[in-house]
Amino acid sequence: MRASLTTSNPSREPVKRRSFPVVPVVAAALPTLGDWLFGTRTEGDRDLIEELFFTDNKLRPHPVAPGLVATRLSSGRVDPGELAFARQGFPVAVLLRADGDALGRAIGNEISKGGKPQPWAFDLWVSDSDEGNRLSQTATTLEKRARFVVEHLAKPWAAQQLASAREAFAKEGIYVQACLFSPDRIALGLLPAHRAPSLAPGGRLRVHIDDDAPSRAAAKLAEAFLWLGRAPEPQDVCVDLGAAPGGWSYVLLQHRAKVYAVDRGKLAPNLRNQKNLEHIPADAFHFNPGDPVDWLCCDMAWRPLEVAGLLARWARRGWARHLIVNFKLPMKKKAEHLFRIRDILSDGGWSSLRARQLYHDRDEVTIAGVRI
Ligand SMILES: C[S@@+](CC[C@H](N)C(=O)[O-])C[C@H]1O[C@@H](n2cnc3c(N)ncnc32)[C@H](O)[C@@H]1O
């Protein structure tokens, strides 16, 4: 790579094009049959409600409990599997009391409506909030009992049950989900596994990172690659903007990529002298890769709209094929920022954009895209 540095600051102030109406505050209410029920990050309900409303202002999403949002999706303008602030979700087909036997029977009824037995997996989850987490033990007991009942009630379907949604996805099967949304109420629904927002119960995809990883941030990139279902191939050239202390670079090296780690900060000692890693102690806004690279990775702690402007410039100049970026969104108006960021990235030429507040993200959103 013939990297070089420039002296001017190339970040562009983004053009404001959309308007963001005030989103009505709606009181918490129970989900009803036919609603979609979504799980969000702790305190992420408001961000999801705003995202839904900005996508389709005819929707009336409402909180159900902390970390849970319900809405009717009638217009087809929202793809429920691709909402950034929804970690998990399903269309509610049954509402029932919190009873393992009743849940098992309801699962049996719902799956057998699909005609011929096909592969399926089941998870029961609670919201990621103090209230939800207090229900975890109850949920485990209910889930165990429901699995036992299903095995005895629906024999042809029981034989098709798989251990995880990921397996159901691989076999083009069904993902049955239930959410214990209050101490005594459960919502149940199912959908093709490939349409589920996540394949982890409640969208809580815990990624194990080994102890040598220089930072916790490594888990965010590892989770992002699982969410995307793609990652750098061996020998792919990756630029890691905002790389220090090196968690992302560490993950990229595990994929046997060649990494250019751009950051004025120091890398962890165990990353120095790595064969496939070069540290470029520079400001990302003045860095030019010289030759195009395969992956542009970015975890810079900087103003999100300016970072988006920088990444858009990479697309305009054809400097990278794949994009994976973690945007820091400490502000209240996360959804509004997300829409502006997406506009800037797509104006630049990034396409097939996907955004998600992943399990390991905090006040952050991960965005992926490609340049065709
Ligand atoms: C959250 S940390 C990155 C963590 C890293 N991805 C990891 O996995 O260990 C944010 C980094 O962005 C870097 N940063 C902020 N502004 C930058 C800029 N203009 N150019 C390069 N790096 C920048 C900071 O120095 C900091 O190391």
Side-chain angles (χ1 to χ4, degrees):
M1 191 170 71
R2 297 175 290 109
S4 68
L5 300 174
T6 57
T7 47
S8 63
N9 186 336
S11 74
R12 296 189 329 151
E13 268 310 304
V15 188
K16 188 177 168 186
R17 290 187 317 192
R18 288 176 195 260
S19 62
F20 293 93
V22 176
V23 180
V25 176
V26 185
L30 299 180
T32 53
L33 292 183
D35 280 355
W36 268 76
L37 178 63
F38 295 106
T40 69
R41 179 175 183 266
T42 315
E43 295 170 11
D45 345 354
R46 184 73 194 160
D47 301 320
L48 177 58
I49 287 172
E50 290 184 356
E51 182 184 10
L52 286 159
F53 189 76
F54 294 152
T55 310
D56 181 350
N57 64 11
K58 302 225 164 33
L59 298 179
R60 288 292 170 268
H62 61 83
V64 171
L68 291 175
V69 169
T71 188
R72 193 60 54 114
L73 294 180
S74 42
S75 67
R77 291 181 61 188
V78 172
D79 178 350
E82 287 297 331
L83 289 160
F85 294 104
R87 276 198 193 151
Q88 186 55 291
F90 60 87
V92 178
V94 185
L95 287 161
L96 67 163
R97 70 199 148 83
D99 174 291
D101 287 75
L103 176 60
R105 284 194 298 275
I107 293 171
N109 283 339
E110 289 306 305
I111 55 175
S112 54
K113 283 183 188 165
K116 191 163 123 281
Q118 50 182 306
W120 64 284
F122 163 61
D123 284 314
L124 171 62
W125 48 272
V126 293
S127 77
D128 190 359
S129 63
D130 290 345
E131 288 83 345
N133 290 328
R134 274 197 288 275
L135 300 175
S136 307
Q137 195 55 50
T138 312
T140 307
T141 312
L142 289 169
E143 183 172 6
K144 220 168 157 181
R145 182 68 196 167
R147 287 188 193 284
F148 176 81
V149 172
V150 165
E151 271 176 36
H152 289 80
L153 281 183
K155 285 227 162 60
W157 281 87
Q160 296 273 2
Q161 191 180 355
L162 300 166
S164 69
R166 200 157 278 285
E167 287 176 54
F169 175 88
K171 297 198 166 170
E172 296 178 10
I174 292 172
Y175 187 23
V176 182
Q177 298 182 64
C179 172
L180 180 65
F181 61 87
S182 76
D184 55 4
R185 299 294 289 164
I186 293 177
L188 171 72
L190 51 84
L191 73 176
H194 72 266
R195 288 195 47 224
S198 165
L199 298 172
R204 298 200 215 184
L205 182 59
R206 290 184 182 82
V207 176
H208 174 75
I209 290 294
D210 60 54
D211 295 342
D212 288 343
S215 66
R216 252 199 75 259
K220 293 187 276 182
L221 187 61
E223 184 186 357
F225 289 147
L226 286 171
W227 162 62
L228 281 179
R230 62 191 156 84
E233 301 286 331
Q235 301 308 312
D236 271 1
V237 177
C238 303
V239 164
D240 182 5
L241 301 179
W248 281 36
S249 291
Y250 182 88
V251 172
L252 296 168
L253 289 173
Q254 285 185 322
H255 285 272
R256 296 199 280 135
K258 285 181 188 282
V259 185
Y260 293 89
V262 181
D263 200 310
R264 284 206 190 109
K266 284 190 178 155
L267 296 188
N270 65 343
L271 286 189
R272 296 180 202 146
N273 306 320
Q274 287 268 352
K275 195 169 95 239
N276 281 330
L277 176 81
E278 185 179 328
H279 181 200
I280 300 173
D283 181 334
F285 285 97
H286 298 294
F287 173 76
N288 172 345
D291 298 320
V293 303
D294 298 300
W295 285 78
L296 171 58
C297 307
C298 176
D299 189 27
M300 277 164 60
W302 192 248
R303 296 182 194 122
L305 300 183
E306 289 182 24
V307 172
L310 171 67
L311 305 178
R313 187 169 78 113
W314 273 68
R316 263 185 226 107
R317 306 230 167 142
W319 284 349
R321 287 191 299 130
H322 297 273
L323 171 70
I324 183 93
V325 48
N326 182 283
F327 282 99
K328 317 297 168 197
L329 302 177
M331 67 292 288
K332 275 199 171 146
K333 295 183 170 181
K334 290 183 179 38
E336 182 176 325
H337 267 79
L338 177 67
F339 278 80
R340 292 192 196 287
I341 287 167
R342 291 184 79 127
D343 285 348
I344 296 167
L345 294 177
S346 53
D347 275 359
W350 291 111
S351 57
S352 304
L353 289 172
R354 298 183 67 195
R356 179 63 54 81
Q357 189 164 48
L358 297 171
Y359 178 65
H360 292 277
D361 288 341
R362 294 184 176 175
D363 277 336
E364 300 160 320
V365 168
T366 298
I367 297 189
V370 292
R371 204 181 50 76
I372 306 165

